[in-house]
Amino acid sequence: MGVFAYLSSSTRQPEPEESDIEIVITTADEVPRGGTINVEVNLRTLHPTIKDRPAGDIRGEVTVLVDGPVKQELVAVGLHNANVVFAGKNVLLTGGHAEFVAEEPGVYTFAPGEIAVTTSDYPLKSVPKNENPADSTTTVV
């Protein structure tokens, strides 16, 4: 788990605004060669939302940058707010998932990249302010 600096903009606020976002990327510690690496992603904003949001109103995806024997970008889809979010509170999005088959042995790291979020009002795009460090590691044996 880490706190990462992002620049976020939307149709409501086109000028990018800096915000910190807590992101958790979870992967297995070890996977056999040819096995599937499941990547789970959850995130929490560290700034309050401006209005009440019903459960399921916020949906999102996070690009996950994979480094190691094979470099690639995955998109963890399925993020959503499972609970009502009240104005002035942080937003928790859970359920993000991506996967790939690990054909090459070695150590893989996973770092959060761009975030795309859609509410019933507007889309929001967040890009890392700087290159984000890895948040999870998996060894393929």
Side-chain angles (χ1 to χ4, degrees):
M1 173 178 73
V3 175
F4 304 93
Y6 276 83
L7 297 173
S8 302
S9 60
S10 68
T11 53
R12 182 183 65 80
Q13 181 181 336
E15 187 64 32
E17 181 177 286
E18 186 172 335
S19 59
D20 288 335
I21 301 174
E22 182 181 271
I23 301 173
V24 178
I25 299 175
T26 306
T27 59
D29 291 335
E30 190 173 284
V31 172
R33 184 176 186 176
T36 299
I37 297 178
N38 288 298
V39 181
E40 304 297 328
V41 180
N42 296 315
L43 70 83
R44 179 186 311 272
T45 64
L46 298 179
H47 60 279
T49 186
I50 58 173
K51 70 181 224 180
D52 291 351
R53 299 276 177 192
D57 184 57
I58 307 168
R59 296 165 311 285
E61 57 187 44
V62 175
T63 300
V64 177
L65 307 173
V66 181
D67 199 2
V70 177
K71 296 179 190 311
Q72 61 182 309
E73 289 185 10
L74 304 173
V75 179
V77 298
L79 283 159
H80 65 284
N81 64 309
N83 300 307
V84 173
V85 180
F86 296 102
K89 300 294 182 183
N90 298 350
V91 175
L92 173 64
L93 300 180
T94 59
H97 178 80
E99 62 184 44
F100 73 98
V101 176
E103 299 290 346
E104 297 297 323
V107 176
Y108 291 80
T109 61
F110 304 85
E114 291 186 8
I115 301 169
V117 172
T118 303
T119 70
S120 56
D121 298 336
Y122 55 87
L124 175 76
K125 181 175 181 177
S126 299
V127 296
K129 182 176 179 185
N130 301 301
E131 185 175 327
N132 288 331
D135 191 54
S136 188
T137 302
T138 297
T139 301
V140 176
V141 292

